[in-house]
Structure formats: C-alpha cells, structure tokens
Amino acid sequence: MPAWEMNVRKVIPYTPGEQPDRAGIIKLNTNENPYPPAPGVARVLQGMDAGKLRKYPDPAAGELVSALSERYQMPKEQIFVGVGSDDVLAMSFLTFFNGDKPILFPDITYSFYDVWAGLFQIPYECQPLDGEFEIVTKDYLKPCGGIVIPNPNAPTGAEKDLQELERIIAANSDVIVIIDEAYIDFGGESAVRLVSQYDNLLVVQTFSKSRSLAGMRIGYAFGNEKLIKYLNDAKYSFNSYTMNTVTIAMGVEAVRDEAYFQETVGKVVATREWTKGELHRLGFVFQDSKSNFIFASHPKCQAKKLFEALKERGIYVRYFAKPRIDNYLRISIGTDEEMKALVAFLDKYIGENLWLN
Ligand code: PMP
C-alpha cells in the first residue's frame, strides 16, 4: 500500500438498484412511481428559459420551502430541503450524530444508514427486527447517540404504530430521533404532527416516490427551528447551492398539485392491494405493506432463482443477498398492466418450478 493510501477515508459505498434503460422492460426494482409527475412539472421543463441558469439558484430554495410550508402547515423555519432525502439524511447524520455512544437503527432497513455511519465515522448498533420482521420498541429505549427509523420500514414495507414511535422519541429526549418517511404517503400515519411536541424529532420525506420525481432529487425534513438552523449551518458549510433552479421550480409545481398527488397515490395503493391478493393466492408470504412495494417470500420457491427468471423475462425486481432476507424479493408497485404481467409470469413460473427447487 503506498504511504498516501494510509490517509484515505475508506468506505464501502451504497449499492443502488440497477437502472436498465431498454425499451419493453418492466422496472419494479427501485420503488419509483409508475406515473409521471404532476402536469405542472412538464410545463416548467418546456417553458424553461435557459438564460435563467446564468445565475446561481436561491440557496434557501425559498419558493419550495414556502410551498411545503403551505401544504404541511409548518412554519418555514421548521423546513429543510435537499437533493433527495438521501442528501437530507446524510446531512442529518453529519450534523446530529457526533456523540460517543452508538446510534441505533434496525438490522434490516434502508442500507444507506450504515454507509453514512461508515463515511462519517459514527459508531452504530443494529437492532434486530423480530421473527415477524417488526421493529421492537424496547430495543430503542436505552442510552444511545441517536436513532434512525424508517416508517414504513424498507425493504419490509411494514408500518410501525405511531404511538410506539412516540414512546421511542419521548424516551430519547437527549438525542435526535430521525423518522425516515420516504414511503409514508402510501398509507402510513406520519409523525409530522409530533414535531411541535418533541424538539429532538426530525421527520424526513421525499418527492421521489409519491410525487414521481426521483429523477429530480428533492427531499425535505421537518423539525423544530433549532434543528433546522443546525442543519442549514452544516449545509452552508458544505455547499450553499445544493438545489438547482429547475428542480426548485418543478418541486413547487409538484407540491401545489394536491389533486394529482391524491389521484396517483390512490392508484398506486389500489394496485398494491390487488397485487397483495394475487401474491397471496400464489402462496407468497409478506408483511402488510403500507408502502409502494411488497417484500415477499415464497416457501417453495427460491427468491434468487425467481429473481433471475424474472430478469430474463425483462421484469426487474430487487433481490438482496443478505442474511435473513436472501429468500425475499422486493417488488415495487407499477401500473395495473405491469403488475398483471408480473402475476401472469409468476403464475406460470410457480406452476412449473414449485417442485424443482
Ligand atoms: N429512505 C428510504 C427508506 C428509501 O428507501 C429511500 C430510497 N432509496 C430514500 C430514503 C432516499 O430517497 P431519495 O434520496 O430519492 O429521496
């Protein structure tokens, strides 16, 4: 190893899902929304005056913060925005987790948490989900450096009861508790209303799923004024202009079109419920998902083989070769037609392969 390499910050990076770009594939592997963003977003794109890009964007993304403030009835001083919730979460780890005690998060969860902990050299301790893949409240009622819990959890899709989360937040008033609500709009109960009661609570959400804007990268967080000030201080010490002009304008359009938001979320939820019924019929087992994906296992069919067979047919789902979850597939909810094609394939595959595995 050359001497300089001793001083390199070595990290094991996050592995995002594949982004194949071939025509005709059915992409159910990265929890994207199958519907386009609100019509106003396309209008921003079409009407964009490239001359506007000459100037730096508003570093505070004021218009977007105002739109969010109106939609969520939250004072502007209590809103932080960033380049996807990944950026918001990373900035939060950097800002809030500077103690000596380990931070806590589930062992089966969003696989970026341990990556950020590694990057920022934050000690952490994973708390195992129980046999039913549920988060165990009492595991989070102990001294620690902070807590991160996604609700609904990923990749299980299961919702944790808000009263239980409140117990965790209340019992940890000496540290910051982050609730990652990337999937909350698909049926979960949000912790946003607890923000006014708990000054240690940060609720993080995203435009990537329910607002169909994964490609634009918009995330945000709600917390008390002091938390948001600390987050902004860290952000302005890193990069003042994290959100670009076009993204800010598109985000405003997306958040203001409440009717379109309700309509598309409603469609995804209806398709999810139909898919649950079909997967049950085929013998899959899974938790009751409140997200835009289903994390399913088949007692008589190996997930890895099924994953490969699906891919061969051009249907992409997500497979994690990790302990405890290596016989599961995470299936994002697509359009009705996409889910029908998936179910038709599974019907045939399972009929033919059940006894071969
Ligand atoms: N949190 C969870 C639980 C997620 O699954 C994702 C999506 N990969 C994110 C945060 C980040 O989403 P984004 O950066 O697109 O807002």
Side-chain angles (χ1 to χ4, degrees):
M1 194 193 279
W4 58 262
E5 216 171 339
M6 301 286 286
N7 296 327
V8 168
R9 184 176 295 248
K10 297 177 193 73
V11 285
I12 302 167
Y14 172 74
T15 315
E18 283 177 84
Q19 290 294 1
D21 202 13
R22 283 184 284 113
I25 65 156
I26 296 180
K27 194 171 173 305
L28 308 174
N29 68 334
T30 48
N31 299 341
E32 288 140 340
N33 196 310
Y35 302 107
V41 172
R43 286 197 292 274
V44 170
L45 201 56
Q46 283 146 14
M48 199 72 212
D49 168 12
K52 268 196 176 175
L53 303 179
R54 190 177 57 76
K55 290 203 225 152
Y56 283 107
D58 170 8
E63 264 194 84
L64 181 59
V65 169
S66 295
L68 285 166
S69 167
E70 237 168 76
R71 164 66 171 76
Y72 291 93
Q73 296 296 296
M74 181 72 66
K76 290 183 211 162
E77 300 71 31
Q78 294 188 232
I79 304 173
F80 177 79
V81 293
V83 184
S85 54
D86 281 341
D87 178 42
V88 175
L89 287 162
M91 208 44 78
S92 306
F93 272 54
L94 180 68
T95 308
F96 300 122
F97 297 152
N98 295 292
D100 300 327
K101 294 198 193 98
I103 64 164
L104 312 178
F105 48 81
D107 65 337
I108 298 168
T109 194
Y110 184 32
S111 46
F112 224 136
Y113 300 154
D114 57 355
V115 173
W116 288 315
L119 175 65
F120 300 132
Q121 300 173 353
I122 299 164
Y124 66 94
E125 206 179 79
C126 293
Q127 307 303 301
L129 299 186
D130 70 13
E132 309 282 281
F133 281 179
E134 297 283 352
I135 291 169
V136 182
T137 302
K138 71 166 174 41
D139 292 347
Y140 298 85
L141 307 179
K142 60 184 178 193
C144 65
I147 290 173
V148 190
I149 294 180
N151 194 41
N153 194 9
T156 66
E159 183 187 20
K160 176 103 179 135
D161 188 77
L162 190 57
Q163 281 177 355
E164 292 291 295
L165 284 180
E166 188 170 358
R167 272 180 70 198
I168 293 172
I169 298 159
N172 287 282
S173 58
D174 56 336
V175 294
I176 300 301
V177 177
I178 299 175
I179 307 294
D180 176 357
E181 294 191 338
Y183 302 101
I184 200 70
D185 293 327
F186 299 103
E189 193 183 352
S190 174
V192 169
R193 67 172 174 77
L194 301 179
V195 163
S196 57
Q197 288 171 57
Y198 297 97
D199 66 1
N200 62 322
L201 170 62
L202 190 78
V203 178
V204 179
Q205 297 190 357
T206 178
F207 281 48
S208 296
K209 320 293 178 182
S210 55
R211 296 186 196 277
S212 309
L213 276 173
M216 280 320 284
R217 317 300 300 123
I218 308 177
Y220 54 104
F222 299 123
N224 87 80
E225 218 177 307
K226 213 167 170 187
L227 287 195
I228 301 303
K229 160 106 177 42
Y230 278 128
L231 268 176
N232 274 315
D233 286 349
K235 171 200 148 164
Y236 290 129
S237 310
F238 190 77
N239 176 2
S240 313
Y241 308 106
T242 55
M243 297 194 79
N244 68 63
T245 305
V246 186
T247 304
I248 294 169
M250 287 186 175
V252 169
E253 291 301 323
V255 81
R256 288 206 179 131
D257 199 337
E258 185 64 23
Y260 185 84
F261 167 77
Q262 296 294 348
E263 182 196 328
T264 44
V265 164
K267 283 205 280 191
V268 171
V269 168
T271 307
R272 177 189 72 203
E273 295 307 306
W274 176 84
T275 308
K276 281 180 189 171
E278 291 299 300
L279 292 181
H280 273 142
R281 177 178 65 76
L282 292 169
F284 283 91
V285 288
F286 48 89
Q287 278 179 301
D288 188 29
S289 167
K290 287 284 176 66
S291 64
N292 67 338
F293 55 86
I294 297 170
F295 194 53
S297 180
H298 198 290
K300 294 182 178 160
C301 237
Q302 269 181 35
K304 189 162 190 290
K305 282 191 185 169
L306 180 50
F307 165 75
E308 278 155 10
L310 280 163
K311 195 164 165 178
E312 191 121 304
R313 152 71 178 75
I315 302 177
Y316 285 72
V317 299
R318 191 87 190 257
Y319 172 72
F320 301 94
K322 287 187 173 176
R324 295 186 79 191
I325 57 170
D326 59 0
N327 203 30
Y328 282 78
L329 295 179
R330 192 195 66 189
I331 305 165
S332 307
I333 302 301
T335 60
D336 283 342
E337 293 66 40
E338 288 173 328
M339 301 320 277
K340 277 182 194 152
L342 169 86
V343 167
F345 178 88
L346 292 176
D347 229 330
K348 192 160 176 289
Y349 179 91
I350 289 168
E352 288 167 1
N353 293 274
L354 211 50
W355 311 111
L356 303 179
N357 282 300

